[in-house]
């Protein structure tokens, strides 16, 4: 049986900093190489090991503002004094071609994308930490931020977590392997939803024709 192409999914992964959304995005892409990653643009400086066009598009504030004014951002927000946003064109091209796209974004970006032109394609997932103490431990353990930045992220995490009920699915990342398994299950089920498989209409019409042919034989 030859299945027709479906439109891609816009998979939103959100969490407070340190709860695991970036790790889960990387794991999903390792599991399924057909997944595309929505590379965000940002005005912040690169962190050690980050590459242009792979982790982010690093641009200045003037250029970022121009992209917003030209309607070239699906979403944008200011986080910890820096601007982040998702360029529109590559996402829309991927979805039209039937490729699923992962967004590693905060709740503000998630709201904007759900209300954007691709809102019907969205599957949104919020990832919670097992505890606040564990959240802080993970932030310190990854060694990417100065103590004052970590304190700022922890201070903001309560407000971020308060948006959990806006999402389609909510997972507790108490065990990364188990969380990944649940994400795989969710993605597989969403891909199989009837309304995401327009080819089924023609397929079932074909089955109906077979019934009529049998009756007329």
């Amino acid at each position: 049986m030859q299945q027709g192409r479906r439109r891609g999914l816009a998979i939103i992964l959100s969490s407070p900093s340190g709860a695991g959304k970036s790790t889960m995005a990387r794991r999903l892409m390792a599991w399924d190489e057909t997944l595309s990653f929505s590379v965000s643009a940002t005005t912040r400086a690169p962190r050690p090991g980050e590459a242009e066009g792979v982790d982010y598009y690093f641009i200045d504030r003037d250029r970022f503002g121009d992209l917003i004014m030209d309607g070239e951002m699906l979403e944008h927000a200011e986080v910890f004094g820096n601007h982040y946003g998702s360029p529109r064109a590559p996402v829309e091209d991927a979805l039209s071609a039937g490729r699923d796209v992962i967004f590693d974004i905060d709740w503000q970006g998630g709201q904007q994308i759900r209300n954007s032109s691709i809102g019907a394609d969205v599957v949104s997932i919020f990832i919670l930490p097992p505890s606040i103490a564990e959240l802080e431990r993970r932030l310190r353990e990854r060694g990417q931020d100065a103590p004052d930045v970590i304190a700022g992220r922890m201070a903001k995490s309560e407000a971020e977590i308060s948006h959990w009920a806006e999402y389609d699915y909510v997972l507790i990342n108490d065990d990364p392997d188990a969380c990944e398994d649940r994400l795989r299950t969710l993605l597989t089920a969403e891909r199989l939803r009837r309304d995401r498989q327009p080819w089924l209409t023609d397929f079932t019409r074909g089955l109906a024709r077979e019934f009529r042919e049998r009756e007329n034989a």
Side-chain angles (χ1 to χ4, degrees):
M1 180 181 63
Q2 181 65 42
Q3 296 185 3
R5 191 176 71 188
R6 61 175 174 81
R7 185 170 169 83
L9 299 173
I11 305 160
I12 294 175
L13 295 181
S14 298
S15 74
S17 296
K21 67 180 183 300
S22 298
T23 298
M24 289 300 115
R26 288 192 295 270
R27 285 187 173 216
L28 280 178
M29 295 183 69
W31 165 65
D32 185 347
E33 295 181 354
T34 69
L35 288 168
S36 299
F37 184 74
S38 176
V39 179
S40 296
T42 182
T43 60
R44 75 160 170 77
R47 291 172 179 160
E50 290 184 333
E52 168 70 19
V54 177
D55 299 285
Y56 287 95
Y57 298 111
F58 297 98
I59 61 178
D60 61 32
R61 290 176 179 267
D62 289 341
R63 175 60 177 153
F64 197 98
D66 290 342
L67 290 172
I68 293 174
M69 292 297 293
D70 292 340
E72 291 300 318
M73 288 290 187
L74 277 174
E75 56 82 25
H76 59 90
E78 183 175 355
V79 182
F80 301 116
N82 296 299
H83 295 278
Y84 296 81
S86 300
R88 177 185 300 276
V91 172
E92 292 187 337
D93 289 346
L95 296 179
S96 296
R99 297 195 305 274
D100 299 334
V101 180
I102 295 180
F103 292 83
D104 175 353
I105 55 177
D106 66 8
W107 66 268
Q108 294 169 297
Q111 282 185 344
Q112 291 179 58
I113 289 178
R114 285 193 296 272
N115 293 325
S116 75
S117 60
I118 66 166
D121 302 314
V122 167
V123 176
S124 60
I125 304 164
F126 197 91
I127 299 174
L128 291 169
S131 69
I132 300 306
E134 174 62 13
L135 180 66
E136 183 173 15
R137 187 195 69 78
R138 292 177 183 177
L139 284 172
R140 295 187 183 283
E141 188 177 74
R142 71 185 188 182
Q144 292 181 340
D145 299 310
D148 61 324
V149 175
I150 292 175
R153 294 187 187 280
M154 289 300 300
K156 193 167 184 176
S157 64
E158 182 176 4
E160 292 173 331
I161 290 173
S162 72
H163 292 272
W164 66 271
E166 299 171 13
Y167 287 71
D168 298 320
Y169 301 96
V170 179
L171 301 178
I172 299 173
N173 187 15
D174 51 352
D175 178 276
D177 291 337
C179 189
E180 180 187 354
D181 286 343
R182 292 190 288 269
L183 280 170
R184 292 183 184 185
T185 299
L186 291 179
L187 180 53
T188 299
E190 286 290 338
R191 286 170 167 174
L192 292 172
R193 283 173 57 108
R194 174 187 54 77
D195 56 358
R196 300 200 190 278
Q197 301 185 83
W199 62 274
L200 282 172
T201 299
D202 288 337
F203 179 76
T204 54
R205 286 173 179 167
L207 295 179
R209 283 195 299 271
E210 289 187 48
F211 275 119
R212 291 194 296 272
E213 290 167 358
R214 288 167 61 91
E215 292 170 357
N216 296 329

mmCIF file of all heavy atoms in Angstrom, residues 156-178:
data_model
loop_
_atom_site.group_PDB
_atom_site.id
_atom_site.type_symbol
_atom_site.label_atom_id
_atom_site.label_comp_id
_atom_site.label_asym_id
_atom_site.label_seq_id
_atom_site.Cartn_x
_atom_site.Cartn_y
_atom_site.Cartn_z
ATOM 1 N N LYS A 156 12.810 32.958 37.151
ATOM 2 C CA LYS A 156 11.807 33.013 36.090
ATOM 3 C C LYS A 156 11.074 31.693 35.894
ATOM 4 O O LYS A 156 10.021 31.640 35.255
ATOM 5 C CB LYS A 156 12.474 33.421 34.775
ATOM 6 C CG LYS A 156 11.485 33.805 33.691
ATOM 7 C CD LYS A 156 12.166 34.504 32.533
ATOM 8 C CE LYS A 156 11.132 34.964 31.512
ATOM 9 N NZ LYS A 156 11.722 35.728 30.405
ATOM 10 N N SER A 157 11.613 30.602 36.426
ATOM 11 C CA SER A 157 11.046 29.277 36.157
ATOM 12 C C SER A 157 9.621 29.123 36.687
ATOM 13 O O SER A 157 8.806 28.416 36.081
ATOM 14 C CB SER A 157 11.946 28.185 36.744
ATOM 15 O OG SER A 157 12.011 28.270 38.151
ATOM 16 N N GLU A 158 9.288 29.769 37.794
ATOM 17 C CA GLU A 158 7.937 29.638 38.342
ATOM 18 C C GLU A 158 6.900 30.186 37.361
ATOM 19 O O GLU A 158 5.857 29.562 37.121
ATOM 20 C CB GLU A 158 7.817 30.364 39.677
ATOM 21 C CG GLU A 158 6.442 30.211 40.325
ATOM 22 C CD GLU A 158 6.359 30.844 41.703
ATOM 23 O OE1 GLU A 158 7.341 31.468 42.141
ATOM 24 O OE2 GLU A 158 5.285 30.704 42.344
ATOM 25 N N ALA A 159 7.180 31.358 36.785
ATOM 26 C CA ALA A 159 6.255 31.939 35.809
ATOM 27 C C ALA A 159 6.160 31.072 34.563
ATOM 28 O O ALA A 159 5.079 30.897 34.000
ATOM 29 C CB ALA A 159 6.696 33.345 35.438
ATOM 30 N N GLU A 160 7.290 30.509 34.126
ATOM 31 C CA GLU A 160 7.278 29.653 32.939
ATOM 32 C C GLU A 160 6.426 28.410 33.173
ATOM 33 O O GLU A 160 5.608 28.024 32.337
ATOM 34 C CB GLU A 160 8.703 29.266 32.568
ATOM 35 C CG GLU A 160 9.531 30.447 32.070
ATOM 36 C CD GLU A 160 10.991 30.083 31.873
ATOM 37 O OE1 GLU A 160 11.483 29.195 32.587
ATOM 38 O OE2 GLU A 160 11.634 30.692 31.007
ATOM 39 N N ILE A 161 6.605 27.776 34.326
ATOM 40 C CA ILE A 161 5.864 26.550 34.631
ATOM 41 C C ILE A 161 4.365 26.823 34.722
ATOM 42 O O ILE A 161 3.543 25.946 34.419
ATOM 43 C CB ILE A 161 6.401 25.914 35.936
ATOM 44 C CG1 ILE A 161 7.808 25.346 35.687
ATOM 45 C CG2 ILE A 161 5.465 24.818 36.450
ATOM 46 C CD1 ILE A 161 8.503 24.846 36.933
ATOM 47 N N SER A 162 3.976 28.033 35.090
ATOM 48 C CA SER A 162 2.554 28.355 35.242
ATOM 49 C C SER A 162 1.788 28.234 33.927
ATOM 50 O O SER A 162 0.556 28.207 33.932
ATOM 51 C CB SER A 162 2.387 29.766 35.814
ATOM 52 O OG SER A 162 2.726 30.760 34.850
ATOM 53 N N HIS A 163 2.472 28.143 32.788
ATOM 54 C CA HIS A 163 1.824 28.048 31.472
ATOM 55 C C HIS A 163 1.656 26.613 30.997
ATOM 56 O O HIS A 163 1.268 26.392 29.845
ATOM 57 C CB HIS A 163 2.622 28.858 30.448
ATOM 58 C CG HIS A 163 2.580 30.334 30.682
ATOM 59 N ND1 HIS A 163 1.590 31.147 30.168
ATOM 60 C CD2 HIS A 163 3.396 31.138 31.411
ATOM 61 C CE1 HIS A 163 1.808 32.396 30.559
ATOM 62 N NE2 HIS A 163 2.889 32.419 31.303
ATOM 63 N N TRP A 164 1.884 25.651 31.868
ATOM 64 C CA TRP A 164 1.851 24.243 31.454
ATOM 65 C C TRP A 164 0.500 23.844 30.855
ATOM 66 O O TRP A 164 0.432 23.043 29.914
ATOM 67 C CB TRP A 164 2.163 23.344 32.653
ATOM 68 C CG TRP A 164 1.111 23.382 33.732
ATOM 69 C CD1 TRP A 164 1.050 24.242 34.783
ATOM 70 C CD2 TRP A 164 -0.025 22.531 33.851
ATOM 71 N NE1 TRP A 164 -0.058 23.990 35.551
ATOM 72 C CE2 TRP A 164 -0.740 22.939 35.006
ATOM 73 C CE3 TRP A 164 -0.518 21.460 33.109
ATOM 74 C CZ2 TRP A 164 -1.914 22.311 35.420
ATOM 75 C CZ3 TRP A 164 -1.687 20.836 33.520
ATOM 76 C CH2 TRP A 164 -2.365 21.261 34.668
ATOM 77 N N ALA A 165 -0.595 24.413 31.370
ATOM 78 C CA ALA A 165 -1.935 23.985 30.939
ATOM 79 C C ALA A 165 -2.294 24.474 29.540
ATOM 80 O O ALA A 165 -3.334 24.084 29.004
ATOM 81 C CB ALA A 165 -2.983 24.459 31.942
ATOM 82 N N GLU A 166 -1.467 25.303 28.924
ATOM 83 C CA GLU A 166 -1.734 25.783 27.566
ATOM 84 C C GLU A 166 -1.307 24.772 26.504
ATOM 85 O O GLU A 166 -1.591 24.962 25.324
ATOM 86 C CB GLU A 166 -0.982 27.108 27.333
ATOM 87 C CG GLU A 166 -1.417 28.219 28.283
ATOM 88 C CD GLU A 166 -0.515 29.436 28.184
ATOM 89 O OE1 GLU A 166 0.292 29.518 27.220
ATOM 90 O OE2 GLU A 166 -0.596 30.306 29.075
ATOM 91 N N TYR A 167 -0.661 23.702 26.919
ATOM 92 C CA TYR A 167 -0.058 22.761 25.977
ATOM 93 C C TYR A 167 -0.924 21.522 25.782
ATOM 94 O O TYR A 167 -1.714 21.147 26.648
ATOM 95 C CB TYR A 167 1.343 22.366 26.463
ATOM 96 C CG TYR A 167 2.344 23.482 26.272
ATOM 97 C CD1 TYR A 167 2.289 24.626 27.073
ATOM 98 C CD2 TYR A 167 3.300 23.432 25.281
ATOM 99 C CE1 TYR A 167 3.175 25.674 26.882
ATOM 100 C CE2 TYR A 167 4.203 24.469 25.083
ATOM 101 C CZ TYR A 167 4.127 25.588 25.885
ATOM 102 O OH TYR A 167 5.003 26.631 25.683
ATOM 103 N N ASP A 168 -0.749 20.868 24.622
ATOM 104 C CA ASP A 168 -1.508 19.653 24.326
ATOM 105 C C ASP A 168 -1.102 18.505 25.233
ATOM 106 O O ASP A 168 -1.936 17.705 25.665
ATOM 107 C CB ASP A 168 -1.274 19.218 22.865
ATOM 108 C CG ASP A 168 -1.740 20.257 21.863
ATOM 109 O OD1 ASP A 168 -2.810 20.864 22.106
ATOM 110 O OD2 ASP A 168 -1.055 20.469 20.851
ATOM 111 N N TYR A 169 0.197 18.400 25.499
ATOM 112 C CA TYR A 169 0.726 17.317 26.322
ATOM 113 C C TYR A 169 1.701 17.890 27.343
ATOM 114 O O TYR A 169 2.390 18.879 27.075
ATOM 115 C CB TYR A 169 1.479 16.285 25.468
ATOM 116 C CG TYR A 169 0.639 15.640 24.390
ATOM 117 C CD1 TYR A 169 0.661 16.128 23.080
ATOM 118 C CD2 TYR A 169 -0.172 14.540 24.671
ATOM 119 C CE1 TYR A 169 -0.113 15.537 22.092
ATOM 120 C CE2 TYR A 169 -0.941 13.945 23.689
ATOM 121 C CZ TYR A 169 -0.911 14.455 22.389
ATOM 122 O OH TYR A 169 -1.675 13.861 21.414
ATOM 123 N N VAL A 170 1.759 17.239 28.507
ATOM 124 C CA VAL A 170 2.702 17.639 29.553
ATOM 125 C C VAL A 170 3.418 16.383 30.055
ATOM 126 O O VAL A 170 2.767 15.395 30.431
ATOM 127 C CB VAL A 170 1.986 18.339 30.735
ATOM 128 C CG1 VAL A 170 2.994 18.709 31.815
ATOM 129 C CG2 VAL A 170 1.246 19.579 30.250
ATOM 130 N N LEU A 171 4.741 16.422 30.047
ATOM 131 C CA LEU A 171 5.556 15.289 30.488
ATOM 132 C C LEU A 171 6.455 15.730 31.638
ATOM 133 O O LEU A 171 6.953 16.856 31.642
ATOM 134 C CB LEU A 171 6.424 14.763 29.348
ATOM 135 C CG LEU A 171 5.713 14.277 28.085
ATOM 136 C CD1 LEU A 171 6.735 13.838 27.049
ATOM 137 C CD2 LEU A 171 4.768 13.134 28.414
ATOM 138 N N ILE A 172 6.678 14.834 32.598
ATOM 139 C CA ILE A 172 7.614 15.079 33.692
ATOM 140 C C ILE A 172 8.913 14.366 33.360
ATOM 141 O O ILE A 172 8.935 13.145 33.195
ATOM 142 C CB ILE A 172 7.049 14.589 35.033
ATOM 143 C CG1 ILE A 172 5.754 15.336 35.365
ATOM 144 C CG2 ILE A 172 8.082 14.781 36.150
ATOM 145 C CD1 ILE A 172 5.037 14.804 36.594
ATOM 146 N N ASN A 173 9.970 15.126 33.246
ATOM 147 C CA ASN A 173 11.263 14.566 32.859
ATOM 148 C C ASN A 173 12.033 14.105 34.091
ATOM 149 O O ASN A 173 13.067 14.670 34.454
ATOM 150 C CB ASN A 173 12.067 15.605 32.067
ATOM 151 C CG ASN A 173 13.346 15.024 31.504
ATOM 152 O OD1 ASN A 173 13.528 13.805 31.448
ATOM 153 N ND2 ASN A 173 14.258 15.899 31.097
ATOM 154 N N ASP A 174 11.516 13.046 34.724
ATOM 155 C CA ASP A 174 12.213 12.482 35.875
ATOM 156 C C ASP A 174 13.282 11.488 35.452
ATOM 157 O O ASP A 174 14.245 11.234 36.172
ATOM 158 C CB ASP A 174 11.230 11.829 36.848
ATOM 159 C CG ASP A 174 10.301 10.843 36.150
ATOM 160 O OD1 ASP A 174 10.313 10.782 34.905
ATOM 161 O OD2 ASP A 174 9.548 10.159 36.854
ATOM 162 N N ASP A 175 13.107 10.914 34.262
ATOM 163 C CA ASP A 175 14.080 9.983 33.693
ATOM 164 C C ASP A 175 14.175 10.270 32.197
ATOM 165 O O ASP A 175 13.183 10.104 31.477
ATOM 166 C CB ASP A 175 13.634 8.540 33.935
ATOM 167 C CG ASP A 175 14.586 7.536 33.314
ATOM 168 O OD1 ASP A 175 14.454 7.252 32.103
ATOM 169 O OD2 ASP A 175 15.459 7.024 34.034
ATOM 170 N N PRO A 176 15.334 10.722 31.702
ATOM 171 C CA PRO A 176 15.428 11.118 30.288
ATOM 172 C C PRO A 176 15.049 10.014 29.312
ATOM 173 O O PRO A 176 14.413 10.294 28.289
ATOM 174 C CB PRO A 176 16.898 11.532 30.143
ATOM 175 C CG PRO A 176 17.311 11.956 31.517
ATOM 176 C CD PRO A 176 16.575 11.038 32.447
ATOM 177 N N ASP A 177 15.422 8.776 29.583
ATOM 178 C CA ASP A 177 15.086 7.683 28.671
ATOM 179 C C ASP A 177 13.578 7.463 28.597
ATOM 180 O O ASP A 177 13.012 7.281 27.518
ATOM 181 C CB ASP A 177 15.779 6.388 29.096
ATOM 182 C CG ASP A 177 17.290 6.441 28.901
ATOM 183 O OD1 ASP A 177 17.746 7.249 28.061
ATOM 184 O OD2 ASP A 177 18.002 5.696 29.589
ATOM 185 N N ALA A 178 12.920 7.483 29.759
ATOM 186 C CA ALA A 178 11.472 7.297 29.789
ATOM 187 C C ALA A 178 10.762 8.477 29.125
ATOM 188 O O ALA A 178 9.763 8.295 28.420
ATOM 189 C CB ALA A 178 10.991 7.127 31.231
#
